[in-house]
Amino acid sequence: MTRALLLENPHSNADAAFARAGIEVVRHRGALDENDLIDALDGIDILGIRSKTEVTAKVLEARPDLLAIGTFAIGTNQIDLEAATNKGVAVFNAPYSNTRSVVELAVGEIISLSRRLSVQDKALHQGIWEKSAIGSHEVRGRTLGIIGFGNIGMQLSVVAEALGMRVVFYDTAEKLVIGNARRMNSLEELLEVADVVSIHVDGRAENKNFFGEKQFAMMKPGAIFLNLSRGFVVDVDALAARLKSGQIAGAGVDVFPTEPRSNGDSFESVLTGLDNVILTPHVGGSTEEAQRAIGLFVSEKLVSYFRKGDTDMSVNMPQINGSPAHSSRYRIAWVHSNMPGALAKVNQVFAESGANIDAQQLATQGQVGYMVTDIASNIPQDAVRTLSESELTIRLRVLSRD
């Protein structure tokens, strides 16, 4: 029986997708540390996680039978992708499913901080009536600076323009300009003009401490700062100092360098208690709509890989997508070292076994190759055995249409 372990409580519609494929689901509400995860993966073929569970090289080494990992989130920095690739473990994520939810939270915080709603709300809850326009601004006509112009940054740009904001952005990669947004040549150039700065960079290691004292000092006096990307990207001590000095008028922070592992755990930060600061517990993508879409998307990708060997939108494996031909009886999925002559060698093996090949697809990515071969005849056991024993083989699976 194929089994999937789902941690951190992804949406329940993932269970239905697995059930349709005959995959038993084992659920655990919270995250697991390294040793507990190794124990929990005993007899597990597919692992589903969110953002708290880390899948290390040690975990992958200890559980060589693990077939695939799905992260029910955007990021994959909690997974050792190099180790997963070297073990032939396909990794899938949900790069688009919660984009709108994050954008709407960013827009809501931009408006709230610009109008000082959090300050006024706290005052009234304390029984203090203080009606004033000082420090309160419309967002129309103000400049939003977006750092990281990926899926979220682009959609935020579109919505911000609809509110009448001017948009500038900075990204180290070449990006398509959307609407009237203007690309800035440097981060410094963006910080000089932005009334609101919103960070949307990915979780790669080189982005650690990307935004600190130097960058905060370059921001316009009275600007607003948002971080809804990764906690380790921003120096929160430097942010707190600038908020206390008044140079930064407000901040919205959804992610933190250190976060509690489970609901109900205590939370501490230098940002708590500061005026005009909105703190949220990593809920940028946590809407019912987003979690429903993520649960369905990731589970279907995992099922498609399990049943057909499809790697479409895998973050670490060469991309192959397509159902076997109607006449095919078996599909041989071969993850191998990307070496010259690999295709010739495998086809020689199939030819010598007399296999009737319907179709064949090969894709490579870096040091790894992935080939699927559709067989119309009986499965050539000698060919499978030869491939399994090949020094090129990382992982070999035989998939049946039955």
Side-chain angles (χ1 to χ4, degrees), residues 349-375:
V349 170
F350 285 132
E352 291 175 352
S353 70
N356 183 7
I357 297 178
D358 262 352
Q360 197 171 58
Q361 299 180 65
L362 170 67
T364 61
Q365 181 176 304
Q367 301 301 310
V368 175
Y370 183 52
M371 175 189 289
V372 294
T373 303
D374 295 330
I375 306 290

Side-chain angles (χ1 to χ4, degrees), residues 111-181:
I111 295 173
S112 179
L113 292 166
S114 296
R115 293 296 302 271
R116 295 178 60 81
L117 297 185
S118 60
V119 174
Q120 294 165 356
D121 174 73
K122 290 174 185 175
L124 283 180
H125 276 288
Q126 295 169 2
I128 302 171
W129 182 274
E130 190 173 332
K131 181 179 178 181
S132 173
I134 297 174
S136 182
H137 300 277
E138 294 182 350
V139 299
R140 180 180 56 176
R142 289 169 73 80
T143 298
L144 168 63
I146 300 175
I147 302 172
F149 209 58
N151 300 321
I152 294 173
M154 286 183 182
Q155 189 166 149
L156 176 59
S157 174
V158 172
V159 177
E161 281 195 22
L163 291 171
M165 300 189 78
R166 294 185 293 267
V167 177
V168 297
F169 72 92
Y170 173 72
D171 199 303
T172 56
E174 190 63 35
K175 296 291 184 178
L176 176 68
V177 177
I178 301 294
N180 295 314

Side-chain angles (χ1 to χ4, degrees), residues 60-348:
L60 294 163
E61 183 68 31
R63 293 301 179 193
D65 292 334
L66 185 64
L67 177 65
I69 302 170
T71 170
F72 289 82
I74 293 177
T76 56
N77 54 293
Q78 68 274 44
I79 301 169
D80 189 327
L81 292 178
E82 182 179 0
T85 304
N86 291 338
K87 294 294 183 182
V89 178
V91 178
F92 298 89
N93 68 339
Y96 311 116
S97 301
N98 68 359
T99 299
R100 182 68 184 193
S101 295
V102 177
V103 167
E104 289 189 2
L105 179 61
V107 170
E109 291 189 347
I110 290 170
I111 295 173
S112 179
L113 292 166
S114 296
R115 293 296 302 271
R116 295 178 60 81
L117 297 185
S118 60
V119 174
Q120 294 165 356
D121 174 73
K122 290 174 185 175
L124 283 180
H125 276 288
Q126 295 169 2
I128 302 171
W129 182 274
E130 190 173 332
K131 181 179 178 181
S132 173
I134 297 174
S136 182
H137 300 277
E138 294 182 350
V139 299
R140 180 180 56 176
R142 289 169 73 80
T143 298
L144 168 63
I146 300 175
I147 302 172
F149 209 58
N151 300 321
I152 294 173
M154 286 183 182
Q155 189 166 149
L156 176 59
S157 174
V158 172
V159 177
E161 281 195 22
L163 291 171
M165 300 189 78
R166 294 185 293 267
V167 177
V168 297
F169 72 92
Y170 173 72
D171 199 303
T172 56
E174 190 63 35
K175 296 291 184 178
L176 176 68
V177 177
I178 301 294
N180 295 314
R182 184 160 58 96
R183 185 188 187 108
M184 309 304 278
N185 295 320
S186 67
L187 178 59
E188 293 77 10
E189 187 179 344
L190 178 145
L191 297 176
E192 287 178 2
V193 300
D195 300 299
V196 180
V197 174
S198 190
I199 296 185
H200 300 282
V201 301
D202 61 30
R204 68 187 70 181
E206 52 264 40
N207 283 333
K208 185 175 182 179
N209 296 324
F210 162 74
F211 207 99
E213 174 57 31
K214 178 182 177 182
Q215 290 72 34
F216 285 120
M218 295 179 186
M219 290 177 59
K220 291 175 64 174
I224 288 169
F225 178 81
L226 303 182
N227 181 21
L228 282 72
S229 59
R230 301 290 188 277
F232 61 76
V233 167
V234 174
D235 182 342
V236 292
D237 291 315
L239 172 58
R242 292 289 171 172
L243 286 162
K244 291 175 182 177
S245 72
Q247 186 223 345
I248 296 177
V253 181
D254 184 52
V255 288
F256 304 88
T258 302
E259 298 181 358
R261 294 182 66 85
S262 302
N263 287 343
D265 290 352
S266 62
F267 170 74
E268 295 180 1
S269 173
V270 294
L271 299 174
T272 56
L274 297 181
D275 194 32
N276 209 24
V277 175
I278 300 174
L279 303 179
T280 48
H282 205 148
V283 295
S286 294
T287 61
E288 292 187 11
E289 293 83 359
Q291 294 306 306
R292 186 182 304 116
I294 290 170
L296 185 62
F297 183 87
V298 176
S299 59
E300 287 185 343
K301 287 297 178 185
L302 290 168
V303 167
S304 184
Y305 179 68
F306 166 68
R307 298 184 67 179
K308 298 190 299 181
D310 282 356
T311 51
D312 180 44
M313 295 190 70
S314 169
V315 299
N316 70 321
M317 299 294 282
Q319 305 284 297
I320 285 182
N321 182 23
S323 297
H326 181 72
S327 58
S328 297
R329 299 178 61 187
Y330 300 95
R331 168 169 280 188
I332 299 177
W334 185 44
V335 183
H336 58 278
S337 298
N338 182 21
M339 303 290 288
L343 177 60
K345 289 179 181 179
V346 73
N347 280 334
Q348 181 180 356

Side-chain angles (χ1 to χ4, degrees), residues 39-53:
D39 292 340
L41 285 172
D42 184 23
I44 296 295
D45 304 280
I46 297 169
L47 172 64
I49 62 173
R50 294 178 71 179
S51 59
K52 294 292 192 300
T53 299

